[in-house]
Amino acid sequence: MISFDVTDEQSQIRDMLLTFAKEELTPRARQADETCAAPAELLDEAWSLGLASLAIPEAYGGGGAPRSTLTGALMLEAMGSGCAGLGGAAAASSLFVNPLIDLGSEEQKKRELPKFCGNARRAATLALHEDSFAFDPSRIVTRAEPRADGWRITGVKRLVPLGEEAGDMLVLARASDAPGIDGIKAFIVPPRAPGVAITRESGTIGLTPMRFARVELAGVSLPPDAILGEGDGADIRPLLASLRIGGAALAVGLVRAVTDFAIPYARERVAFGEPIAKKQSIAFMLADMHIECDVMRWLVWKAAAAFDRGADVSKMAVLAQNYVNRRAIRIADDGLQIFGGHGYIRDLPLEMWLRNARMLTIHGALAAA
Amino acid sequence: MVDFTLSDPDRDILSGVAEEAKASEKYARHYDAHEDEILPKAFVEAAAFPSLLERMRRRPSDDTPSVIMQMLIRIEREAHNGVPLRQAPSALGNAALGAAGTPAQQKRWGHLMLAMSITEPGAGSDTKAIQTTAVLDGDEWVLNGDKIFVTNGVRCHGTIVWATVSKAAGRGGIKSFLVLKGTPGFELVRKEKKLGIRSSDTAAYAFRDCRIPRDHLIGGDERVPQSADEGSASYKGVLKTFNITRPTVAAGGIGKALGAFRYARDRLAKEGIAVDWDKGPHDRTSTEQTLLELEADIEAATLTVLRAAWLAARGEPNNLEASVAKAKGGELCRSGPQRAMELLGAMSLSHDHPVEQFLRDGRITDIYEGTGQIQRLVIARAILGYSSAELS
Ligand SMILES: Cc1cc2nc3c(=O)[nH]c(=O)nc-3n(C[C@H](O)[C@H](O)[C@H](O)COP(=O)(O)OP(=O)(O)OC[C@H]3O[C@@H](n4cnc5c(N)ncnc54)[C@H](O)[C@@H]3O)c2cc1C
C-alpha cells in the first residue's frame, strides 16, 4: 500500500536529530571543517543519543529496534542538514555495525556487536576505495587469499573515514576469482592487527571532520571467520546498497540546508533595485532546488523501503544514488552562485557545502543507512 | 509506514489497464494520421474490458488511496501508444463545475461533457489578461471574445468560459459561465492541427453577442470584488481543481516517457544491451548509462506525482506539490522520449515504431495546465513567500 507516512518512532528520531543537527552540528561545522576534526564532546553527545546501538538486537545489548534503512536514511538526512562532515563522523560506526547486523553470522554478531552497546563511544569504519582512477567496487584489487589457518589480506585502501580512530573495520577485498562483485567479500579486520598500517591522507576537498586515512594491509593474517557472513561469506550487494542509500541520504540533508539558506538570502539581497529573488533566473533556480530536494528524498525513501523489504535492492539503490549524485552537486553549486562572491568566501558555508557535496556524490562509502 | 508497493489486487488492476491499453494500440497510428476524425464513444474492443469505475469498485478502502491509483493508472495507460477505447463522459469543465458550481448547477449540467475555455489568442499563461467580456443585459449575459486550444471542444456538449465582467477589477472581475453548444453567437471556428495527441480534439471558439441566461454564471456570485488581488470564488474554485489535474497531467507525460523507455529498454535488450546493476559507471557504456539515468528520472517524476496525490488523499494542502509534480512531469515528457530515441538511433524516427509518437504526444505535458515556467513561478512564490504581483 503506497504511503509516505513515517512511523511515530521514525518521526521522533528524525525530530530529535533535526534538533541535534540545528543546535549542535550547524554551529560547529565551520570550525570542524577548518580543524579537520570533530570535537570529542560532540561525538560523545551524539553517541549518548543511542543511535549506534538502536537496531542492535537486545540479545547483544542493543536497543532491539527493527533494523530499518529507512530509519537510517531519516537519521542521516537529518544530520546531513546540520553538517554532513560532523554527521558522517558521528554516524561512522554504522559503517561497521549495520553490515554486521544485516550480513554477519550469529557468531560474528555475538562477538562484534556488544562493543557498540556501551556508554563509551566506539568509532568504526569501512574500507572500500583504492588507489586507482576509475575505481568501482567490482574493480577492487585488494586480495584476500584463503590459507589453511584463515585469510591473508594484501592491498592498499584509500579515503577510509576515521581510519585512525576506528576501533573496528570492515575491508572489502577480492576473495576469489568469481567475476565482478561476486568475487568481492567483506572482512572484519582489527585496525591494530599486525601488518595493518594506517596513516592520514594528505587531505580531502571536503568532509574533513571525517579524517580520511590510508590503510595499508601487508599480508595481514586473519582467522577463517573474518569473512563477513557464514561460510564463503555474504553477498556484499546489500552492503553496497546500504552505502549508496546512506551517502545519498546525507546528501539530501545537505542540499536541503543549502536551499533553506539560499531562500532568505535571495529575498534580502538587493541588486539593480530589487531583491535578486524577484529575478526569474534566481527564483527559478530556487524553485528547481526545492523540487529536487523533494524528489531526491522520495527516491532515497523508495530505495530504503525496497532494501527493508529485500526486493530490488541493488537496482533501486543504484537509481537513487545516480539521481542524487547528479542533482545534489548541482544544487550545492547553484546555492553558491546565488550568493555570488560571498558564496566563495569562507565566512559563509556555501563553499564548504560545495566541497562536502563533491565528497558525498563521488565517495562511495561514507555512511551505511 | 513508508511503502511503495502495491497490493496484489491493485497490481491486477494495473495489468488489466495495461491489457486494455495494449488492445487499443492498433488504432494509434490511424488517429495520428487522420486528425479530422473524432474518436467513437467506444470501440468494439471496449466491451471486453471493465470500465475504470468497475475496476476500482472492488477495492477495499484501507488499500492505497484511490487518487494514487488513478495516477498510476494514467501512467500505465499513457505508457502504451494507444487511444482510449471508451471516451470519458466528462472533461475539464466538469471538474470546474464540481469545484465552483452551485449544487443546482451541478445537478443540471453534471451529466454533460463540458470543456474549459480559458485561453485566448492574446492570453495563455497570464489568465488574468483575458479579453472576453460578459455584460449583464436584463436577465441575460452577453459574451464577446475568442477562445482557442479548447480540449474536447469539438465533441463536448458545452463549455465553461472565462470572461471578465469588469476589466478594471483584474482577476476579481473574471467569472466563469456555462455556454451550451447551439447557443446563437457561439461558433466552433476550427479544429486545431497539432504536433501530437491528434486523437484529442482541440477547438477554437468565437463568441459574438452570445446571450446566455443569467443563471449560467457558475457559482452564481455576481459581485465584483474591490481589490484586484482578491480572486472571485469561481476563479479560485477553478484554480483549486488544478491541485489534482496538475499531477494527473504530469502522470500523462510520465507515461509517455515510460512507454518510450520500455520500448528502448526491451529493443536494446534484444541487441544485447542492458544495464548491469553490478557495474559501476566506469564499466557502463554511455548507452547503458543513459538507460539507467532515464529510469531514475522516471522513478523520480513518478514519486512527485504520488506524493502530491497522497497529500490530496489525506486532505492536506498540496498546491506546491502539485506544481512540483507538474514541473517534473513536464521536464520528463521532453527529455524522456528524446533520450529513448537517441538510444535507439535512426530507426526510432520511423512510423514503424511508437517512440517518435511518444515524443510528439508527450510534449504537450509541459505546456497545458500551466507551462513548466509557470509551475516554477508557483513554486518560487510559495517558497519565497511572494504574491503573484511580487514575482511574475
Ligand atoms: C493541445 C492543447 C490543449 C489545450 N487545452 C486547453 C483547454 O482545454 N482550455 C484552455 O483554456 N486552454 C487550453 N490550452 C492552452 C494552454 O493552457 C496554454 O497554451 C498555456 O497555458 C500557455 O499559454 P500560451 O500558449 O498562450 O503561451 P504564453 O503564455 O504566451 O507563453 C509563451 C512562453 O512564455 C512563457 N511564459 C509566460 N509567462 C511567463 C512568466 N510569467 N514567466 C516566465 N515565462 C513565462 C511560457 O512558459 C511559454 O514558454 C491548451 C493548449 C494546447 C496546446
Side-chain angles (χ1 to χ4, degrees), chain A residues 139 237 267 292 315 323, chain B residues 278 283 295 299 328 384:
Chain A
R139 295 185 174 192
R237 288 178 182 82
R267 278 178 56 96
E292 298 304 341
K315 178 177 167 176
Y323 193 89
Chain B
D278 279 351
D283 289 325
E295 187 165 10
E299 284 287 348
K328 287 306 285 181
L384 286 159

Side-chain angles (χ1 to χ4, degrees), chain B residues 275-286:
Chain B
V275 175
D276 177 343
W277 302 100
D278 279 351
K279 278 189 191 166
H282 303 293
D283 289 325
R284 281 179 214 126
T285 63
S286 73

Side-chain angles (χ1 to χ4, degrees), chain B residues 146-390:
Chain B
D146 297 295
K147 294 288 177 184
I148 56 170
F149 304 165
V150 185
T151 298
N152 295 316
V154 177
R155 74 175 100 155
C156 65
H157 300 110
T159 180
I160 301 227
V161 180
W162 276 24
T164 173
V165 296
S166 159
K167 283 189 182 162
R171 260 196 299 176
I174 296 173
K175 307 264 177 196
S176 49
F177 302 86
L178 182 116
V179 187
L180 293 172
K181 287 268 179 74
T183 308
F186 171 20
E187 189 200 340
L188 174 78
V189 180
R190 66 173 177 274
K191 188 179 171 188
E192 309 282 9
K193 299 192 178 80
K194 309 189 295 288
L195 170 69
I197 54 166
R198 294 183 185 157
S199 68
S200 162
D201 52 301
T202 310
Y205 290 156
F207 299 90
R208 299 287 178 268
D209 291 328
C210 175
R211 292 180 164 269
I212 54 171
R214 188 166 182 168
D215 65 3
H216 282 37
L217 168 66
I218 300 298
D221 180 6
E222 294 182 357
R223 283 176 310 126
V224 177
Q226 291 314 300
S227 117
D229 251 8
E230 189 190 337
S232 69
S234 59
Y235 185 96
K236 283 188 179 154
V238 170
L239 291 187
K240 228 171 45 209
T241 65
F242 286 158
N243 293 359
I244 281 301
T245 56
R246 282 182 174 169
T248 308
V249 170
I254 292 168
K256 292 300 169 204
L258 178 62
F261 163 74
R262 284 178 180 167
Y263 198 82
R265 181 198 56 196
D266 296 348
R267 292 309 180 284
L268 289 175
K270 288 191 183 142
E271 305 296 327
I273 300 167
V275 175
D276 177 343
W277 302 100
D278 279 351
K279 278 189 191 166
H282 303 293
D283 289 325
R284 281 179 214 126
T285 63
S286 73
T287 300
E288 290 160 2
Q289 183 68 19
T290 303
L291 268 176
L292 187 157
E293 293 185 3
L294 180 49
E295 187 165 10
D297 290 354
I298 291 170
E299 284 287 348
T302 304
L303 285 166
T304 63
V305 167
L306 301 186
R307 173 72 184 177
W310 183 76
L311 290 171
R314 289 160 64 98
E316 290 178 34
N318 75 338
N319 191 42
L320 177 58
E321 289 75 11
S323 282
V324 167
K326 178 67 170 59
K328 287 306 285 181
E331 200 174 279
L332 184 67
C333 83
R334 303 163 63 168
S335 69
Q338 284 170 15
R339 279 180 284 171
M341 290 182 73
E342 286 158 13
L343 285 167
L344 289 166
M347 272 316 286
S348 71
L349 303 167
S350 160
H351 284 196
D352 285 3
H353 301 288
V355 241
E356 63 85 28
Q357 193 173 342
F358 280 128
L359 182 150
R360 288 184 294 111
D361 288 349
R363 185 61 180 81
I364 187 61
T365 308
D366 207 31
I367 295 174
Y368 60 17
E369 212 92 0
T371 62
Q373 289 70 37
I374 296 305
Q375 306 307 328
R376 282 170 176 80
L377 267 183
V378 172
I379 294 162
R381 282 175 196 148
I383 61 177
L384 286 159
Y386 282 152
S387 67
S388 51
E390 286 170 306

Side-chain angles (χ1 to χ4, degrees), chain A residues 5-350:
Chain A
D5 226 355
V6 296
T7 65
D8 289 345
E9 293 79 40
Q10 287 169 338
S11 115
Q12 276 165 19
I13 290 172
R14 178 179 58 185
D15 291 349
M16 176 177 82
L17 281 178
L18 281 173
T19 308
F20 180 72
K22 192 162 158 236
E23 290 174 1
E24 309 296 338
L25 301 185
T26 306
R28 292 185 171 88
R30 174 55 77 182
Q31 206 197 349
D33 176 63
E34 300 270 330
T35 57
C36 301
E41 81 280 1
L42 178 76
L43 295 179
D44 288 340
E45 197 183 331
W47 187 264
S48 71
L49 299 175
L51 301 173
S53 61
L54 184 73
I56 294 178
E58 278 172 12
Y60 311 126
R67 164 82 179 110
S68 158
T69 46
L70 192 93
T71 308
L74 291 169
M75 299 194 313
L76 289 166
E77 183 190 333
M79 292 205 279
S81 74
C83 172
L86 288 172
S93 62
S94 73
L95 286 166
F96 184 84
V97 170
N98 286 343
L100 255 294
I101 298 175
D102 292 339
L103 306 175
S105 68
E106 259 339 287
E107 278 304 306
Q108 288 166 343
K109 292 185 198 184
K110 207 155 124 190
R111 190 175 66 226
E112 305 294 337
L113 293 177
K115 295 186 260 186
F116 294 89
C117 300
N119 292 329
R121 168 165 57 89
R122 189 171 178 93
T125 192
L126 179 145
L128 166 70
H129 285 283
E130 296 184 349
D131 190 4
S132 65
F133 291 115
F135 172 85
D136 81 50
S138 63
R139 295 185 174 192
I140 284 174
V141 295
T142 295
R143 189 90 212 184
E145 304 280 355
R147 291 288 162 105
D149 58 345
W151 297 91
R152 220 173 130 85
I153 296 203
T154 310
V156 177
K157 289 289 176 179
R158 300 292 305 266
L159 300 166
V160 180
L162 293 181
E164 290 174 307
E165 291 80 0
D168 304 274
M169 177 166 63
L170 282 175
V171 172
L172 298 194
R174 179 161 293 286
S176 74
D177 291 328
I181 295 287
D182 290 324
I184 310 295
K185 301 289 170 184
F187 290 85
I188 302 168
V189 180
R192 317 277 174 258
V196 181
I198 302 179
T199 48
R200 277 281 280 291
E201 292 279 2
S202 57
T204 51
I205 186 172
L207 299 181
T208 61
M210 293 181 77
R211 298 161 77 88
F212 293 90
R214 176 182 192 276
V215 175
E216 188 166 348
L217 305 150
V220 181
S221 294
L222 299 171
D225 79 337
I227 189 166
L228 183 66
E230 313 274 355
D232 292 341
D235 175 6
I236 62 153
R237 288 178 182 82
L239 166 55
L240 295 175
S242 121
L243 294 173
R244 293 188 166 112
I245 298 166
L250 274 173
V252 173
L254 172 87
V255 296
R256 189 69 251 177
V258 173
T259 305
D260 289 345
F261 195 72
I263 289 169
Y265 183 79
R267 278 178 56 96
E268 279 156 27
R269 177 69 182 177
V270 171
F272 298 92
E274 63 176 359
I276 56 170
K278 292 197 176 176
K279 320 244 175 234
Q280 280 196 357
S281 63
I282 300 291
F284 284 13
M285 220 189 269
L286 287 167
D288 280 322
M289 289 162 73
H290 173 84
I291 292 171
E292 298 304 341
C293 284
D294 250 24
V295 183
M296 287 191 287
R297 174 184 295 145
W298 312 140
L299 268 175
V300 168
W301 284 19
K302 185 162 180 184
F307 187 102
D308 291 339
R309 232 176 51 249
D312 283 343
V313 175
S314 292
K315 178 177 167 176
M316 267 320 299
V318 168
L319 289 179
Q321 183 193 37
N322 167 272
Y323 193 89
V324 169
N325 285 357
R326 281 185 284 144
R327 305 295 165 148
I329 189 68
R330 179 71 202 259
I331 295 180
D333 195 43
D334 281 348
L336 190 152
Q337 189 68 11
I338 287 171
F339 285 76
H342 301 273
Y344 198 77
I345 304 295
R346 296 219 301 275
D347 290 348
L348 289 178
L350 284 310

